[in-house]
Amino acid sequence: MTERLTTELSTYDTTSVTVRDRDLADEVMGELSFGGSVYLLWTGQAPTEGQARTVDAMLSSLMVHGRTPHALASRLTALSAPDSLQGAVASGLLGVGSQFVGSMQEAAAVLQELAGESDDERDDAVAAVVAEYRERGDPFPGIGHPFHEPVDPRAERLFEVAEAEGVAGDHIDLLRDVQAGFKAATGLDLPINITGAIAAVASDMGLSPEAARGLALVSRAAGLVAAVIEEGSRPLAVDVWDYAEEQTAYGGEEGLSKTGGGPARSRPCSSGRVPGSSAPGG
């Protein structure tokens, strides 16, 4: 190999660490918020105060949201491997996808494609997106929510922050156009959800669709760490395991009337508490 490998992200020597041409200790730590540091690292550009605050808002918005499948995955992995915090968090992050938490990547890709259309063609392009999703029978990933109505409060708050910080732009307007298109076509007044809002705001800030999902990964990692920590004092995993055993029927010919498992497990978890006596947690 004759060419050296290169990176623009970071370097170091015996006395310093450099991130995107900034001294980490002197110019990043204590000088930029975490959101601002993420923006700098991902884009190579120094964030404005408004950009930093908006990224902070996006990172805060997805930390936790109930007992979703990937949150349960982290708790169950922690039950199986209590000495592996990283393994438990990683198992949950693998579930940040198109069905839960990570749908902003697809939404951002569509919005950025729409933004590339000329002003004269945008209305037709939005109508084509609505028609395509309806023909496939798929929901648009940035619109609709199974619980929040009439609005997703996180989405509306993020739009407020983006507007106040001067980063709101065409992609938010396009998302609202898509929302209106679905309402006109179906009669359903579905809210813009937080992943749609992140897709639009991240796109307005010049971030790629992959970076939009990256915000979800960074945000949810914090929530999954919290879930694993709480599992030690307010466990859920054994109860979930017991419930699955009790409610799962064997489908073989000899066991159609039987349910699985045996008696509920009563061994203590690492905290010393007896599973089954705990209250649900985050």
Side-chain angles (χ1 to χ4, degrees):
M1 180 180 294
T2 58
E3 297 183 2
R4 297 188 65 183
L5 304 178
T6 62
T7 178
E8 297 181 354
L9 298 181
S10 66
T11 188
Y12 61 91
D13 57 29
T14 57
T15 60
S16 67
V17 177
T18 300
V19 176
R20 292 290 196 175
D21 296 331
R22 288 194 175 202
D23 186 279
L24 177 63
D26 294 338
E27 298 177 284
V28 178
M29 296 171 62
E31 300 298 323
L32 295 178
S33 68
F34 184 62
S37 300
V38 168
Y39 186 86
L40 171 69
L41 180 61
W42 288 6
T43 68
Q45 301 172 1
T48 65
E49 291 185 3
Q51 288 170 332
R53 281 194 289 268
T54 304
V55 175
D56 281 333
M58 289 190 279
L59 291 174
S60 298
S61 68
L62 287 173
M63 292 188 297
V64 292
H65 192 49
R67 267 59 58 194
T68 45
H70 53 283
L72 291 175
S74 284
R75 286 179 179 264
L76 289 165
T77 301
L79 175 65
S80 180
D83 56 336
S84 180
L85 172 64
Q86 71 277 13
V89 172
S91 69
L93 288 179
L94 291 173
V96 178
S98 59
Q99 297 300 309
F100 291 94
V101 190
S103 57
M104 65 280 292
Q105 182 172 349
E106 180 181 347
V110 173
L111 294 175
Q112 290 180 24
E113 185 174 349
L114 289 173
E117 300 285 350
S118 66
D119 291 343
D120 294 337
E121 296 175 340
R122 282 192 180 182
D123 288 345
D124 289 340
V126 168
V129 167
V130 173
E132 178 186 349
Y133 275 85
R134 292 196 68 213
E135 182 178 354
R136 296 199 321 239
D138 294 335
F140 186 78
I143 296 172
H145 197 279
F147 304 113
H148 294 308
E149 57 178 357
V151 299
D152 182 334
R154 301 164 300 169
E156 295 307 306
R157 177 56 180 154
L158 180 56
F159 290 148
E160 291 174 0
V161 172
E163 186 68 35
E165 300 301 343
V167 302
D170 287 347
H171 295 89
I172 295 176
D173 295 335
L174 283 167
L175 180 57
R176 294 196 187 278
D177 290 343
V178 173
Q179 179 193 32
F182 275 101
K183 181 179 180 180
T186 66
L188 299 175
D189 191 11
L190 299 175
I192 292 173
N193 57 47
I194 183 57
T195 59
I198 289 175
V201 173
S203 296
D204 280 340
M205 295 178 67
L207 298 175
S208 68
E210 292 79 10
R213 185 182 288 198
L215 292 168
L217 291 169
V218 174
S219 177
R220 194 46 66 99
L224 295 176
V225 170
V228 175
I229 291 173
E230 188 182 66
E231 187 64 25
S233 59
R234 299 173 68 86
L236 288 175
V238 170
D239 291 340
V240 172
W241 180 14
D242 283 340
Y243 181 82
E245 286 283 348
E246 293 164 4
Q247 298 299 319
T248 302
Y250 173 60
E253 187 172 337
E254 296 181 0
L256 290 176
S257 63
K258 297 179 181 179
T259 56
R265 281 155 287 278
S266 61
R267 58 186 181 278
C269 66
S270 58
S271 66
R273 297 188 58 177
V274 177
S277 63
S278 61

